Amino acid sequence: MSNAKTPADLTITPRDRRFGRDAEQPQARWWLGGDAVATAFYNALSVTFPKGEAFFIESVKAFREGVDAKLAREIKAFTMQEVVHSREHVAFNRRVLDHGYDISRLDARVDQVLAIAKARPPIVQLAATMALEHYTAILAAELLRNPRHLDGADTESRELWRWHALEEIEHKGVAYDTWMHATRNLGRWKRWKIKTLTMLLVSANFWKHRIEGTLDLLAQDGITGWRARAGVARYLLVSPGIVTRMVPEWLSYFMPGFHPWNHDDRALIARAESDYAAAVMPPVAAAA
């Protein structure tokens, strides 16, 4: 049996949206309010999504055998959401290429990290997915809670990131609930140790590679050296300080009794989802 604490009345709803194909105006090179640093950060993050989310799907699906009917439905809906996310970030990344950026080094880094991850046992892959899903969920909540993060973005880019954030919050418990099912025969100490050590390793690599990717893209705009490093540090830590704002929820991951839905932020979903009601996909049935 699953030890899930996901709200019983939560429904994970895939929404089939497409962004940026028919925009009236082309996306600007520095599409986030003319801010080179902010644009580079989100561009670098987007590069990771198509292959990263495919990894998340496979990591979760590897342990779907024997889950209860509710979690089976949630895994299927999670998969549908992540597939569409990957499709939309492939399209977004093409626009990054259209602006003349070379993302080959960032893409190669994703391949390198995933090759290392896939060499680990499946349960460790699931633990890494669970940790990264927590990251995406707290980043998503911050984006929806504080619209200033996307102030100045063109409409299509802003809506892409808001839509993605909404669905990341909605399915934030799926990997964790699957983990609880997969580790149901492990002692609490061993389960906590694997979860904690994996999060620490994931965190170190996540920010190292995101900062490297951001600096790489900034260098292609002629912004290098102390100016680039100071700009990235200020953006992440001070204004708007998205990393600083994420710290409390990141720390909660290490507490006994943690579950992603201990922090119930469905109000953020309700606030955003009306914009995407027309894109709701058919209800998801449990996998056979």
Side-chain angles (χ1 to χ4, degrees):
M1 292 294 292
S2 170
N3 293 319
K5 299 177 185 175
T6 296
D9 59 346
L10 175 73
T11 301
I12 298 174
T13 308
R15 301 160 184 83
D16 188 7
R17 279 295 311 266
R18 295 174 183 267
F19 300 90
R21 271 63 156 195
D22 303 309
E24 293 182 3
Q25 295 183 338
Q27 181 192 59
R29 181 178 176 90
W30 293 351
W31 56 266
L32 189 38
D35 186 329
V37 174
T39 298
F41 174 73
Y42 283 98
N43 286 351
L45 185 59
S46 182
V47 171
T48 70
F49 283 138
K51 293 176 181 177
E53 291 184 322
F55 173 78
F56 297 167
I57 290 168
E58 294 308 312
S59 298
V60 169
K61 287 172 66 176
F63 292 96
R64 63 184 171 178
E65 187 70 30
V67 302
D68 60 40
K70 181 176 185 294
L71 184 52
R73 288 192 301 272
E74 291 172 347
I75 290 172
K76 190 169 183 179
F78 162 83
T79 299
M80 293 170 67
Q81 286 185 333
E82 295 288 49
V83 166
V84 180
H85 296 173
S86 295
R87 184 194 72 197
E88 289 311 296
H89 281 280
V90 167
F92 182 90
N93 295 342
R94 289 197 193 102
R95 295 193 288 278
V96 175
L97 291 170
D98 288 344
H99 288 304
Y101 289 109
D102 177 4
I103 62 173
S104 60
R105 288 178 296 276
L106 282 69
D107 199 44
R109 173 65 73 182
V110 174
D111 289 338
Q112 180 184 39
V113 170
L114 289 177
I116 294 170
K118 290 176 181 178
R120 301 291 187 263
I123 196 65
V124 176
Q125 295 181 44
L126 180 60
T129 292
M130 178 175 62
L132 286 163
E133 280 290 301
H134 185 57
Y135 259 114
T136 57
I138 60 179
L139 174 60
E142 180 59 28
L143 287 183
L144 294 184
R145 190 181 299 118
N146 294 301
R148 64 175 293 204
H149 291 295
L150 296 172
D151 276 353
D154 64 276
T155 300
E156 290 291 295
S157 298
R158 183 179 65 250
E159 290 307 297
L160 164 67
W161 287 96
R162 289 182 70 250
W163 159 82
H164 192 164
L166 157 65
E167 295 199 343
E168 287 298 329
I169 294 172
E170 200 170 62
H171 70 227
K172 68 179 181 175
V174 173
Y176 199 92
D177 292 343
T178 304
W179 159 265
M180 294 297 288
H181 167 77
T183 60
R184 61 195 181 280
N185 295 323
L186 290 183
R188 293 181 65 182
W189 163 246
K190 187 171 184 179
R191 177 191 284 163
W192 183 85
K193 182 172 70 172
I194 295 171
K195 183 188 83 166
T196 298
L197 292 176
T198 302
M199 174 56 97
L200 291 172
L201 180 60
V202 162
S203 296
N205 286 323
F206 180 88
W207 290 112
K208 177 178 183 290
H209 297 151
R210 296 302 75 73
I211 291 169
E212 287 176 350
T214 302
L215 291 172
D216 186 314
L217 295 178
L218 285 172
Q220 295 179 47
D221 283 320
I223 303 171
T224 60
W226 69 266
R227 180 184 170 204
R229 292 191 295 273
V232 172
R234 181 178 183 277
Y235 180 76
L236 295 178
L237 301 176
V238 181
S239 180
I242 197 164
V243 173
T244 304
R245 294 171 182 273
M246 289 168 60
V247 168
E249 288 190 55
W250 178 79
L251 288 172
S252 72
Y253 192 84
F254 302 95
M255 299 297 291
F258 167 81
H259 188 277
W261 282 106
N262 286 352
H263 183 73
D264 191 338
D265 41 17
R266 280 179 288 178
L268 294 174
I269 297 175
R271 189 188 307 168
E273 69 178 345
S274 60
D275 295 338
Y276 312 107
V280 169
M281 297 170 72
V284 176

